[in-house]
Amino acid sequence: MPSKIFALEGQRVWVAGHRGMAGSAFVRRLAQENCQVLTVPREIVDLRNQSQVDAWLAEMKPDVVLMAAGKVGGIVANNTLRAEFMYDNLAMTSNVIHGAYEHGVKKLIYLGSTCIYPRLAPQPMPEDCLLSGALEPTNEPYAIAKIAGIKMVEAYRTQYGCDFVSLMPTNLYGPGDNYHPAHAHVFAALLKRFHDATIDAAEEVVVWGTGTPRREFLHVDDLADACLFVLEHYSGPQYFNVGTGSDLSIAELAALIAEVTGYKGRIRFDHSKPDGTPRKLVDVTRLRALGWTHRVDLKDGVELAYRSFTQTSAAARNDRAR
Ligand code: GDP
């Protein structure tokens, strides 16, 4: 384990995007640290609005910024809300990064995504394959906005000496996920669909695409842990993939989720829906060399995520009943 070069203790840490899955995991993880967590709802500060972001930074003076805000969604949301994915992400990213520079933030972690890598990148995908080929068309606007963020982080370090670092998390899952039937990512969409099918004793569950694309999944609590690890142990121009280093096919994921939710019926693959990138597995060598490895394996993670999903749905039902 390398020694710490930055201590969180006593720091004022702004989690931008604290209501999202990654941001809320950061807030949970930071509760174990002796630091002050700052958050602001979007009704008060719209991160797409530069003067609102500026005023918030001037007033709150954070030492650290964890940039987890962004408009995110699954393959269909990405492909249909193309303008929104591009504008919202570009605006939020540039306001938060530029604001952090102007207000003297000591350290910033920016969250990218592994869809920034070329569609046909070598697998597992090393950090250095960025901008070496064409992107997956279904999420190109989102990827371009994320690449702009990584390049801003790089440029602000080179020109202004800002201690900003980017992380590229692989597909995330866990508490606080979005379970919208059309807009969710595959993990959450299938967790909810298989859960509903089990409750309704349905005979068939539909899974989009051919089932052959391969994806890697990381529990969001592992991402929060990796983020604090990098914050405290690294200062430099590199960016880091964050993943588990292993993947599985969508058909295998569906079978695993069926098992955990207790679903016994048929699974049908809907070939009219897009498959997206054939494979997305990150090379985690760089972050492992720094000293960080994930803790939650996928089988345990599906069980944890399912428990949190059923608790949240039960709480929502109780709230409605009140
Ligand atoms: P991606 O990893 O950026 O391609 O985004 P997703 O998480 O949305 O999709 C991953 C893969 O899961 C694609 O091959 C989808 O076709 C497949 N998939 C299967 N069923 C679903 C579903 O119900 N929702 C989503 N979003 N994807 C699904």
Side-chain angles (χ1 to χ4, degrees):
M1 169 79 72
S3 51
K4 280 190 189 172
I5 54 172
F6 181 84
L8 263 172
E9 192 166 340
Q11 309 280 356
R12 294 165 63 77
V13 184
W14 176 29
V15 179
H18 70 286
R19 281 185 186 157
M21 174 166 56
S24 54
F26 290 164
V27 172
R28 284 197 301 279
R29 179 65 185 75
L30 286 166
Q32 300 165 29
E33 304 292 324
N34 193 6
C35 64
Q36 193 181 343
V37 179
L38 310 172
T39 59
V40 62
R42 79 176 61 154
E43 298 76 38
I44 310 259
V45 176
D46 180 346
L47 297 180
R48 294 170 304 179
N49 180 315
Q50 189 169 21
S51 52
Q52 289 182 14
V53 173
D54 255 354
W56 158 258
L57 285 164
E59 187 192 338
M60 302 309 288
K61 300 184 176 46
D63 303 301
V64 174
V65 174
L66 304 184
M67 175 46 176
K71 184 170 185 68
V72 298
I75 191 163
V76 167
N78 260 285
N79 201 18
T80 47
L81 310 175
R82 295 176 75 88
E84 281 174 54
F85 271 72
M86 188 129 199
Y87 172 72
D88 288 6
N89 286 304
L90 278 173
M92 287 190 248
T93 296
S94 99
N95 292 338
V96 171
I97 293 177
H98 187 70
Y101 152 64
E102 292 231 295
H103 294 277
V105 165
K106 293 187 222 159
K107 206 130 197 177
L108 174 143
I109 301 280
Y110 174 70
L111 288 191
S113 157
T114 54
C115 69
I116 56 159
Y117 295 127
R119 171 181 160 78
L120 298 176
Q123 302 288 332
M125 303 182 288
E127 286 86 350
D128 295 339
C129 72
L130 180 65
L131 293 176
S132 63
L135 296 164
E136 158 62 33
T138 52
N139 56 27
E140 190 184 75
Y142 177 75
I144 295 278
K146 285 286 157 188
I147 293 171
I150 295 154
K151 290 293 168 188
M152 272 188 92
V153 162
E154 230 172 78
Y156 278 64
R157 175 178 290 277
T158 318
Q159 186 176 348
Y160 303 130
C162 296
D163 194 357
F164 298 172
V165 179
S166 299
L167 299 183
M168 301 320 129
T170 197
N171 295 29
L172 296 170
Y173 68 93
D177 214 336
N178 163 15
Y179 298 98
H180 188 282
H183 291 172
H185 284 277
V186 59
F187 189 103
L190 294 188
L191 199 66
K192 173 151 174 43
R193 206 169 300 146
F194 278 100
H195 168 78
D196 290 349
T198 307
I199 302 267
D200 301 341
E203 285 174 11
E204 181 178 276
V205 163
V206 175
V207 174
W208 297 356
T210 59
T212 55
R214 298 185 69 82
R215 294 288 185 274
E216 176 187 19
F217 296 93
L218 179 76
H219 194 282
V220 70
D221 289 348
D222 271 337
L223 171 67
D225 194 59
C227 178
L228 296 204
F229 181 85
V230 170
L231 189 71
E232 292 190 312
H233 295 90
Y234 182 76
S235 168
Q238 290 194 320
Y239 51 91
F240 295 86
N241 287 335
V242 191
T244 63
S246 49
D247 63 354
L248 78 176
S249 70
I250 296 300
E252 287 165 334
L253 175 73
L256 181 57
I257 293 180
E259 185 192 326
V260 170
T261 55
Y263 174 72
K264 303 272 188 294
R266 237 179 5 255
I267 297 176
R268 179 166 66 83
F269 291 94
D270 176 359
H271 291 218
S272 72
K273 290 284 198 302
D275 265 346
T277 306
R279 192 173 184 205
K280 220 172 13 162
L281 172 66
V282 291
D283 184 337
V284 290
T285 312
R286 190 177 278 178
L287 191 51
R288 286 212 176 138
L290 191 68
W292 186 87
T293 310
H294 75 288
R295 295 197 191 128
V296 184
D297 80 20
L298 186 59
K299 177 83 200 309
D300 294 343
V302 175
E303 281 165 7
L304 281 171
Y306 188 46
R307 208 173 309 146
S308 131
F309 168 80
T310 47
Q311 281 162 359
T312 314
S313 338
R317 270 196 306 278
N318 289 343
D319 280 352
R320 277 198 299 274
R322 253 184 234 142

